[in-house]
Amino acid sequence: MKPVRIVFVGPPGSGKGTQGARVASEFRISHLSTGEMLRQLRDQSDDDCKFSSYTEGSILAPDDLMIELVAERLSLPDCQAGWLMDGFPRTLSQAQAFDGYLNHHGDQITRVIELVADADGIVKRLIERAKSENRPDDTPKNIVERLKVYRVRTKPVLSYYRDRDLVTQIDAMQDIDSVFADIKKCIARS
Ligand code: ADP
């Protein structure tokens, strides 16, 4: 089987993290969460202001930083067998820069999986997540703002990949096992 290289695109709370962990273990590939990378940088950094504005609010981190983090991570040996991107690319310019990187390395995205979720369901899920995971960015005001950022900044990424017939939509409002079953089928077919 050729290496699996998957991009997850979906609004906050659509289950990218949960499903990403499952897919990574099922297909023995690396799960790269850019949100997690930023939270680690925040925790390691003495002056955490810069990173906490990204991990605790609704502001996106700069494209250059994200591309650098992803490129550095992809060069490590554990990514050679395949990877799943969770939270990247999140803007059109990240998607374009990512293509440049992949072309340069002779790699290709196998499939882009869009986790489709409705706004009401998401708000409910994120409020629950705020309680159980201690995520400071999951406040009601931030949630609304992050959904808007998703609509305005990230949705264009989907059109970009749709033009190349790379996108499969999956209903992310089903229960966790059904979403996972759909994702597995989609990856197995790609
Ligand atoms: P969620 O998908 O629930 O919004 P993440 O854990 O993926 O949360 O990301 C948390 C925050 O980190 C985002 O709200 C954003 O500010 C920042 N972030 C993560 N990935 C990127 C990215 N590719 N580009 C810019 N900012 C990012």
Side-chain angles (χ1 to χ4, degrees):
M1 192 172 156
K2 61 180 181 191
V4 175
R5 300 190 183 97
I6 301 291
V7 172
F8 272 180
V9 181
S14 57
K16 299 189 296 291
T18 308
Q19 298 296 340
R22 282 187 157 204
V23 168
S25 107
E26 173 83 18
F27 291 91
R28 295 165 191 270
I29 56 176
S30 291
H31 176 198
L32 272 61
S33 157
T34 45
E36 205 47 56
M37 289 177 197
L38 289 171
R39 283 187 285 278
Q40 271 174 19
L41 285 174
R42 175 198 63 193
D43 294 343
Q44 286 159 8
S45 139
D46 291 334
D47 165 22
D48 65 358
C49 304
K50 185 169 88 185
F51 298 115
S52 49
S53 66
Y54 313 135
T55 57
E56 289 170 24
S58 53
I59 310 167
L60 290 184
D63 290 337
D64 291 358
L65 169 69
M66 299 318 299
I67 290 150
E68 199 184 307
L69 286 176
V70 167
E72 195 177 281
R73 190 64 189 78
L74 283 178
S75 68
L76 299 181
D78 66 323
C79 290
Q80 305 321 306
W83 41 256
L84 177 137
M85 284 293 159
D86 157 7
F88 178 93
R90 229 178 178 95
T91 64
L92 194 54
S93 41
Q94 289 181 14
Q96 287 160 341
F98 191 34
D99 268 348
Y101 173 92
L102 293 173
N103 287 336
H104 182 74
H105 289 82
D107 289 344
Q108 272 173 0
I109 294 169
T110 329
R111 191 118 288 268
V112 175
I113 296 182
E114 177 186 0
L115 293 167
V116 183
D118 67 82
D120 288 350
I122 280 177
V123 173
K124 275 194 212 122
R125 273 192 193 176
L126 289 177
I127 289 172
E128 282 309 307
R129 182 168 86 177
K131 291 183 207 145
S132 61
E133 289 181 21
N134 188 25
R135 286 266 305 247
D137 52 347
D138 287 342
T139 63
K141 182 170 162 280
N142 263 340
I143 292 167
V144 172
E145 195 50 42
R146 279 157 63 216
L147 285 172
K148 187 171 156 217
V149 171
Y150 177 73
R151 249 191 347 264
V152 176
R153 308 284 310 275
T154 308
K155 281 262 171 139
V157 171
L158 284 169
S159 321
Y160 176 77
Y161 288 134
R162 209 172 282 125
D163 287 345
R164 282 161 40 199
D165 249 343
L166 275 173
V167 181
T168 299
Q169 288 190 322
I170 287 185
D171 175 7
M173 298 316 286
Q174 309 174 83
D175 62 78
I176 293 181
D177 288 342
S178 308
V179 177
F180 182 55
D182 283 358
I183 294 175
K184 260 199 320 196
K185 263 187 256 161
C186 163
I187 296 177
R189 274 198 310 261
S190 327

